[in-house]
Amino acid sequence: MQDIETLESEILTKISAAGDLDALEAVRIAALGKKGEVSLMMRGLGQMAPEERQVVAPKLNKMKQSLLEAIDQAKDGLNRKAMEEKLATESIDITLAARPESQGRIHPISQVVDEITEIFADMGFTIAEGPDIEDDFHNFTALNIPPEHPARQMHDTFYLPEKEDGSRQLLRTHTSSVQIRTMMSEEPPHRIVVPGRTYRSDSDQTHTPMFNQIEGLVIDKTSHMGHLKGVLKEFCRAFFEVDNVEMRFRPSYFPFTEPSAEMDIRCTFAGDHIKIGEGDDWMEILGCGMVNPRVLEHCGLDPKEYQGFAWGMGIDRIAMLKYGIPDLRAFFDCDLRWLKHYGFVPLDVPTIGGGLSR
Ligand code: DAH
């Protein structure tokens, strides 16, 4: 029989030389498997004379024990090594700054919507949304534009095919429809802004059939024109990023507000550039007014108890103004070169604290 100590040290050497778990398992099987060297020797004990067996058996048992321990230890070591390698190759250095080289760009309209909603959110407004496909009631009637009202013509509405009951849905012509949806589905007070797509059958250098608006609505028991002015002034100051914006309110007419006004801001037109906040020119940027009592009534609110103000503004034009974009139609051309030039880096999210348009 082979010398037990020599065999043990040979196997121990093989165990420590095993480079991975598979190699270690092969060594284990060769020594301690059913037909392994050690197992065969143990089976040989049966043929030995009792005196000899008494000497050899404890030695074999001791060897087996020490081999098992060595294999366990080696296994632990290999597992740890595998884990460390995995951690080293899969690690991410989270202290690294985000890479600025992303290819995608945020469309200027999305950027401007984010900027505007950020400003109003900071003043305590929430964002409301409504469907692009509307019905006559929400888009017109509830806003005090009854069927024969001339304002309906001005809206150049896109209608959907007539339904069996004779009614026709339409593509909303303004975001004002969401005022109605909000007042009818939630309890006052209301303080919302509504960005969204709007549609009118109109197309030239300054009009596209689909365009973007943002609507504002405040309803409570005490808000008045003074608050409207304050809110809009703060908005202009923050949005155009100038300390002082001079505004002018001109009397106007909208069926859903009474009184109604259009708001202009002071500016200078110099060639194709515009400077906001100073100069001898005025630019109209929105329509506004106190919500007409009839609109409140349509929404089930008592005008003796509730009042408030609203405004509506085209987003595309003020985006053009702020970012010096000359042609409205390019907004909707999906030209990647244009987007690369005028678009915004995705991680530059506009915030009041960090700056809107850095
Ligand atoms: N809905 C108007 C439009 O599309 C804009 C507007 C004017 C909205 C005055 C208002 C408002 O809420 O008070 O031209």
Side-chain angles (χ1 to χ4, degrees):
M1 181 188 287
Q2 201 180 351
D3 176 58
I4 293 180
E5 266 110 61
T6 320
L7 179 64
E8 180 176 345
S9 82
E10 271 174 26
I11 299 176
L12 286 174
T13 311
K14 284 185 193 158
I15 291 175
S16 54
D20 57 37
L21 290 167
D22 287 345
L24 182 65
E25 180 64 3
V27 176
R28 188 190 68 79
I29 290 171
L32 301 168
K34 255 194 207 155
K35 293 183 184 153
E37 283 170 292
V38 179
S39 311
L40 290 178
M41 284 170 85
M42 295 193 89
R43 225 172 287 158
L45 286 171
Q47 276 99 56
M48 284 181 191
E51 313 79 65
E52 198 188 352
R53 191 184 313 139
Q54 262 178 13
V55 181
V56 177
K59 284 189 184 170
L60 280 180
N61 274 331
K62 201 168 137 262
M63 167 167 75
K64 185 176 173 188
Q65 207 49 45
S66 92
L67 291 178
L68 282 173
E69 277 167 23
I71 288 172
D72 271 354
Q73 268 182 20
K75 206 181 250 174
D76 282 351
L78 288 172
N79 276 332
R80 204 172 320 121
K81 199 172 118 211
M83 174 66 84
E84 275 160 13
E85 272 168 16
K86 207 168 169 204
L87 285 175
T89 52
E90 290 178 4
S91 74
I92 299 172
D93 185 351
I94 56 165
T95 62
L96 281 177
R99 296 198 192 146
E101 72 257 27
S102 68
Q103 289 293 304
R105 286 289 179 272
I106 301 294
H107 194 285
I109 298 290
S110 304
Q111 170 80 12
V112 165
V113 168
D114 287 348
E115 291 179 17
I116 298 177
T117 49
E118 172 70 13
I119 295 169
F120 285 111
D122 194 52
M123 287 192 243
F125 285 74
T126 50
I127 298 174
E129 286 178 316
D132 289 18
I133 297 179
E134 261 302 359
D135 53 42
D136 195 276
F137 176 77
H138 291 92
N139 195 81
F140 290 126
T141 308
L143 285 159
N144 195 31
I145 314 176
E148 299 316 320
H149 198 288
R152 289 209 180 192
Q153 262 83 61
M154 280 159 48
H155 279 221
D156 299 318
T157 312
F158 286 115
Y159 285 96
L160 274 70
E162 204 171 287
K163 289 191 193 172
E164 267 176 25
D165 64 6
S167 68
R168 279 191 298 175
Q169 286 181 300
L170 49 88
L171 295 180
R172 67 177 176 195
T173 57
H174 50 186
T175 41
S176 306
S177 51
V178 185
Q179 288 188 21
I180 305 300
R181 290 190 174 272
T182 302
M183 285 191 273
M184 293 186 76
S185 63
E186 285 163 33
E187 289 297 313
H190 300 293
R191 195 177 271 208
I192 53 160
V193 281
V194 186
R197 284 192 254 273
T198 45
Y199 308 82
R200 290 182 202 176
S201 177
D202 204 353
S203 184
D204 59 35
Q205 203 165 2
T206 53
H207 295 90
T208 48
M210 194 275 297
F211 56 106
N212 295 274
Q213 283 191 337
I214 189 156
E215 186 87 10
L217 175 73
V218 171
I219 298 288
D220 54 27
K221 294 184 177 174
T222 53
S223 285
H224 53 66
M225 279 297 256
H227 297 130
L228 166 64
K229 260 180 103 168
V231 165
L232 294 179
K233 181 160 187 140
E234 178 53 26
F235 161 71
C236 289
R237 210 186 50 70
F239 180 74
F240 291 109
E241 299 175 67
V242 287
D243 283 339
N244 214 357
V245 190
E246 207 182 322
M247 315 174 338
R248 163 174 98 170
F249 284 81
R250 278 180 294 102
S252 184
Y253 172 75
F254 300 103
F256 29 89
T257 41
E258 185 63 41
S260 304
E262 276 170 314
M263 190 185 105
D264 305 336
I265 53 175
R266 195 180 270 290
C267 64
T268 320
F269 293 97
D272 40 344
H273 269 78
I274 278 195
K275 215 169 160 173
I276 306 289
E278 53 190 74
D280 296 327
D281 295 310
W282 292 95
M283 190 181 50
E284 179 197 323
I285 63 166
L286 56 83
C288 59
M290 296 301 293
V291 175
N292 192 313
R294 291 209 187 125
V295 174
L296 297 172
E297 269 166 6
H298 274 301
C299 298
L301 293 177
D302 180 358
K304 291 203 190 70
E305 195 180 352
Y306 289 104
Q307 62 185 36
F309 54 85
W311 70 93
M313 168 169 67
I315 294 180
D316 314 76
R317 208 162 60 95
I318 67 166
M320 290 168 71
L321 269 177
K322 181 165 180 181
Y323 291 113
I325 299 169
D327 188 350
L328 173 70
R329 289 170 292 193
F331 273 136
F332 312 114
D333 279 347
C334 297
D335 183 336
L336 277 180
R337 291 162 306 172
W338 181 89
L339 190 56
K340 210 164 182 164
H341 181 76
Y342 286 109
F344 292 79
V345 176
L347 292 171
D348 268 352
V349 179
T351 62
I352 297 283
L356 290 179
S357 66
R358 268 164 313 145

